[in-house]
Amino acid sequence: MNAAHLKDDAARLAALAEHLLPAESVLIVTHDFPDPDCLGAALGLTRLLTAHLSVKKVSTAYGGFVGRAENRSMVRLLDINPNPLCFCDVSLFDRVIVVDALPGGANLSLPPETRIAAVFDHHLGRPDESAPYFFDVRADAGAVSTIITRYLLASGGEIPPDVAAGLFYGIKTDTAGLSRDSFPDDEECYKLLFEKADHGILTRIEHPERGAEFFRMLHRAAESLLISDKAGFLFLGEVGTPDYVGEMADFFLPLKTIEWIVSSGVFGDKLFYSIRAKTSEEAGAAAEALGRALHGSGGGHGR
């Protein structure tokens, strides 16, 4: 990391401390269906808060549930222990931090009256400059885990092997191994964390045991596949977790002759969808436009 970047991050860290301290308890809230990036970022932020800012109690919560096998392995092996938000009394915490989401977003189940102390995200939108909380939302970061890694480096503290593994896996999944939507900061942090990470844990996260439902879902996706020109379409029907929708999109994207894959499924009373592209940078914009057209919400990265 160059000196100028570390100086900027040190200034951000000082500003964060001003917004958070004094605080004995902090609740980190991720988006409703946490993925490896927000889980890794929450783990790294917990380390920052406890080891550098001396916060005594840090908890992580989410509005939906952790569904994908890799994500459940990550939670278990890294001892992240996130709690369903419905079981948390937000008022019992001195401060609330939002990770990988923006206040008011459709994928964040925090009560609207919640007083938020800080927000970390990396998507295109950002809060108004007059927002009453600290925020670090970067368009030039492929993962929130990258942002949190930079704070840990600015703090001068050690990044333990398990924390490094969580942050590394967060960057790896959100940037597809630096092959999409990645930036120089992602590359630097990726290499640094790779050297520090516990690779035994990483292997167990990336190759988790799977239940029979996953293979039934693969069969259902293959049976439903339709191809039109350069696009493939999957409809999974009712799913046990919304994560299957994105997981099947990832699995079928390598199909020959297609450029796009659109996967969808029904969870509860909602239709969930994922759009993936091999080379186009318009998948996130397409997801957002489709969400508006269906009176719902959507968004995401280029591919």
Side-chain angles (χ1 to χ4, degrees), residues 152-225:
L152 284 167
L153 294 172
S155 76
E158 283 296 314
I159 304 178
D162 59 338
V163 175
L167 290 165
F168 173 82
Y169 191 59
I171 298 171
K172 182 176 181 178
T173 55
D174 249 35
T175 66
L178 301 181
S179 69
R180 72 176 183 216
D181 303 316
S182 65
F183 299 86
D185 284 349
D186 301 304
E187 295 172 12
E188 286 192 50
C189 290
Y190 188 91
K191 294 172 184 176
L192 182 147
L193 293 166
F194 180 85
E195 295 177 355
K196 294 178 176 291
D198 183 321
H199 287 268
I201 289 178
L202 273 173
T203 297
R204 293 170 66 191
I205 290 172
E206 293 185 297
H207 302 282
E209 293 183 341
R210 297 184 182 277
E213 185 184 9
F214 171 81
F215 298 97
R216 295 191 187 100
M217 195 59 59
L218 267 180
H219 175 75
R220 189 186 303 176
E223 288 283 299
S224 75
L225 175 65

Side-chain angles (χ1 to χ4, degrees), residues 58-141:
V58 180
S59 299
T60 299
Y62 57 95
F65 58 84
V66 181
R68 196 161 175 159
E70 293 91 341
N71 301 354
R72 292 197 300 270
S73 291
M74 188 177 182
V75 165
R76 184 179 71 256
L77 294 170
L78 297 178
D79 200 25
I80 296 174
N81 296 320
N83 300 299
L85 194 54
C86 60
F87 295 152
C88 294
D89 186 344
V90 177
S91 67
L92 296 179
F93 292 86
D94 296 329
R95 301 288 185 271
V96 175
I97 299 177
V98 173
V99 171
D100 207 14
L102 295 178
N107 64 341
L108 183 68
S109 293
L110 265 179
E113 68 275 10
T114 302
R115 291 188 62 185
I116 295 170
V119 172
F120 296 93
D121 201 3
H122 67 121
H123 297 287
L124 296 180
R126 59 185 280 124
D128 186 271
E129 294 296 334
S130 62
Y133 46 76
F134 173 89
F135 66 87
D136 191 344
V137 180
R138 307 188 192 185
D140 60 350

